Amino acid sequence: QVQLVESGGGLVQAGGSLRLSCAASGRTISSYTMGWFRQAPGKEREFVAAINWLGVTSYVDYVKGRFTISRDNAKNTVYLQMSSLKPEDTAVYVCAVHYRNEYRYWGQGTQVTVSS
């Protein structure tokens, strides 16, 4: 079993930056693809970014060039660096492990609020 804890969210003005962290415990995540998702009020959860065990990354189109996903295997942690934030990026951001063909072990999330 893996436990994931997100942190780093907060209130930021449009154009600002935040770095989110997803710390894993209970199991080493270095060999797994890790994903970041977000859910805005009244909307469904949506994919944001992922990084596989080789460090290959993928992003949803509307965050490309603004968000960067990375991992530190020594710390068993995945990061999401967010820059040029927009009000529409406001959401609860959660991370998950891609295990046995689906994302699992969701964290509790961290709130990101971008003011205009």
Side-chain angles (χ1 to χ4, degrees):
Q1 192 82 356
V2 177
Q3 293 79 43
L4 302 175
V5 178
E6 301 92 341
S7 62
L11 173 63
V12 63
Q13 290 188 332
S17 299
L18 284 173
R19 188 177 82 153
L20 307 184
S21 299
C22 170
S25 61
R27 189 167 187 153
T28 299
I29 60 169
S30 59
S31 59
Y32 297 101
T33 293
M34 297 294 296
W36 280 100
F37 295 76
R38 69 187 186 187
Q39 186 165 18
K43 296 186 177 181
E44 293 188 355
R45 185 169 58 202
E46 60 182 12
F47 170 81
V48 175
I51 184 167
N52 73 6
W53 68 281
L54 291 171
V56 178
T57 59
S58 61
Y59 301 91
V60 67
D61 283 347
Y62 44 82
V63 305
K64 286 180 180 178
R66 300 191 298 124
F67 291 11
T68 302
I69 187 171
S70 61
R71 66 194 307 159
D72 185 337
N73 291 331
K75 295 183 178 180
N76 219 28
T77 299
V78 176
Y79 303 98
L80 186 67
Q81 177 68 49
M82 307 186 296
S83 303
S84 301
L85 283 163
K86 305 175 181 180
E88 51 264 43
D89 293 318
T90 294
V92 175
Y93 286 72
V94 295
C95 61
V97 180
H98 193 265
Y99 179 69
R100 292 186 177 179
N101 299 317
E102 66 180 75
Y103 281 99
R104 301 169 183 259
Y105 310 122
W106 301 87
Q108 85 290 345
T110 186
Q111 176 71 47
V112 171
T113 303
V114 184
S115 63
S116 57

